[in-house]
Amino acid sequence: MIALTDINSGSALCLRRSVLCVPAGNRRALEKTFSLDCDAVIFDLEDSVSLEMKGEARDNLRALFSRIDTPDTGGMRRERIVRINALSSAQAVACLGRADMADMDLVLAIAPDVVLIPKVEHVEDILAVADILTEAGAPDGLSLWAMIETPKGVLNAASIAGADRRVKALVVGLNDLRKATGVLPQPGRAYLVPWLMQVVLAARAHGIDVIDSVFNDFGDADGFDAECGEGRAMGFSGKMLIHPAQIAPANRHFGPSPEALSEARDIIQGFAEPQARMLNVINLNGKMVERLHLEEAEKLVALADLISERKTSA
Ligand code: COA
Ligand code: MG
């Protein structure tokens, strides 16, 4: 994965504008991911796979990962995430009484970049998975992401974000959260915004990324566009997607716009002038610009560089 250091948090800077979820039981869709221009793929073993298909879905991922870095898969490097089943699921309890070891065995065998844990409610839900990974000698680079999709998950988002050094992102799951709370799906998500912002704040307090929820109506391009714009304005790093048609708009909304990039380059240029070297604040075309804006500008340019680097390596 291409990674720079995030100037603000000190953690790795990654492209996570478009995070496509693909059911691991669907071989045709799995194959399709190789040709899609998303930043990250979630290979889902959880809710999009029926209980009867779980074993086949794991076999599909084993086969897919065995040839994932070969030239016939297009060679485009993107973050690979495996969403495991919830630790408390009936299946997991029936298996071992704790984590679903079949999923964990798969993760250890195929070595994705990230394990996405669904329905995280407490620090312990993270530690249970982190302990298994550490005991099994999983590399330090194997990260954890947590789905925040229950009322308790939202209430405990800050402690979950800081639960373990492997935690690198929170992902909001509104389908489950709406089901648990009774909040209706409405354009603008007015009644959900306080909870969404709580999750954004929790992630940012720990210097990690935060991914907005899926938008179910993949035929509604205008509605999706509007929700991407809102998510970007709320501070999300990117959006979890369910359909290839959602990739291009998500990349556009969560990537640096040409205007923002041009302004960022002006700011960097402004602070590079000899007379600005000792200054923490300058006048740029009638606007006050501080050194903190320089850090933001450098981050934006670094993200744009990551995007063009990924395009040229495709
Ligand atoms: N990842 C990769 N490819 C996908 C895809 C996905 N998430 N969703 C659809 N495609 C592919 C289809 O396989 C199809 O490919 P083809 O033209 O080669 O046959 C193409 O995109 C067009 O798909 P379309 O016919 O519009 O939709 P569909 O009926 O095949 O699938 C869904 C619709 C909703 C079932 C499917 O998009 C899906 O399963 N999405 C993910 C759901 C999920 O992960 N849910 C859990 C998280 S909330
Ligand atoms: Mg869910």
Side-chain angles (χ1 to χ4, degrees), residues 15-298:
L15 284 178
R16 290 171 178 152
R17 300 164 299 170
S18 47
V19 183
L20 177 69
C21 192
V22 50
N26 183 341
R27 275 203 287 269
R28 190 176 172 91
L30 285 175
E31 201 59 35
K32 189 130 192 138
T33 59
F34 291 124
S35 61
L36 298 173
D37 187 25
C38 49
D39 290 335
V41 178
I42 297 173
F43 299 102
D44 186 29
L45 292 168
E46 199 224 5
D47 280 352
S48 70
V49 180
S50 67
L51 264 186
E52 298 72 29
M53 288 281 290
K54 299 278 186 200
E56 191 178 323
R58 286 185 202 104
D59 291 344
N60 289 343
L61 293 191
R62 254 192 204 94
L64 187 95
F65 273 71
S66 69
R67 62 188 186 87
I68 206 162
D69 285 323
T70 58
D72 72 312
T73 56
M76 194 195 283
R77 190 68 179 94
R78 52 172 70 84
E79 204 162 18
R80 301 155 186 163
I81 301 132
V82 172
R83 185 164 77 168
I84 60 173
N85 289 283
L87 304 190
S88 57
S89 74
Q91 190 202 29
V93 172
C95 275
L96 271 176
R98 53 172 212 160
D100 183 348
M101 288 311 289
D103 286 357
M104 296 308 288
D105 287 347
L106 173 77
V107 161
L108 290 164
I110 66 177
D113 301 304
V114 178
V115 175
L116 175 57
I117 314 172
K119 301 179 179 68
V120 176
E121 299 199 316
H122 305 284
V123 167
E124 291 71 26
D125 298 336
I126 298 286
L127 297 183
V129 177
D131 286 351
I132 292 170
L133 292 177
T134 304
E135 272 169 35
D140 274 359
L142 179 47
S143 305
L144 297 175
W145 290 8
M147 294 232 40
I148 303 297
E149 51 187 345
T150 65
K152 283 194 183 111
V154 175
L155 290 171
N156 295 328
S159 54
I160 291 165
D164 189 89
R165 64 188 168 74
R166 287 189 195 265
V167 179
K168 295 290 192 280
L170 302 181
V171 184
V172 178
L174 287 185
N175 284 328
D176 280 292
L177 194 59
R178 284 193 194 103
K179 182 177 157 212
T181 58
V183 176
L184 299 176
Q186 285 175 336
R189 303 185 290 184
Y191 300 108
L192 292 164
V193 165
W195 301 339
L196 292 170
M197 292 312 301
Q198 202 169 318
V199 180
V200 170
L201 195 65
R204 298 310 186 187
H206 291 276
I208 64 172
D209 277 329
V210 57
I211 311 295
D212 198 359
S213 180
V214 296
F215 183 84
N216 297 336
D217 188 354
F218 60 84
D220 177 5
D222 291 342
F224 182 69
D225 222 43
E227 200 170 283
C228 281
E230 284 163 16
R232 173 68 193 84
M234 284 187 235
F236 283 101
S237 321
K239 198 161 175 68
M240 183 168 164
L241 313 177
I242 52 158
H243 193 276
Q246 297 180 328
I247 295 172
N251 283 347
R252 195 173 63 250
H253 278 283
F254 290 97
S257 69
E259 300 76 33
L261 206 52
S262 158
E263 193 187 2
R265 293 205 164 104
D266 286 349
I267 292 171
I268 292 168
Q269 178 62 37
F271 274 104
E273 299 294 338
Q275 66 274 20
R277 289 252 159 83
M278 308 290 280
L279 299 177
N280 262 15
V281 59
I282 59 171
N283 172 349
L284 192 72
N285 308 324
K287 255 170 75 178
M288 179 192 76
V289 179
E290 294 183 78
R291 273 201 187 267
L292 67 95
H293 298 118
L294 174 63
E295 289 174 17
E296 279 181 290
E298 285 171 341

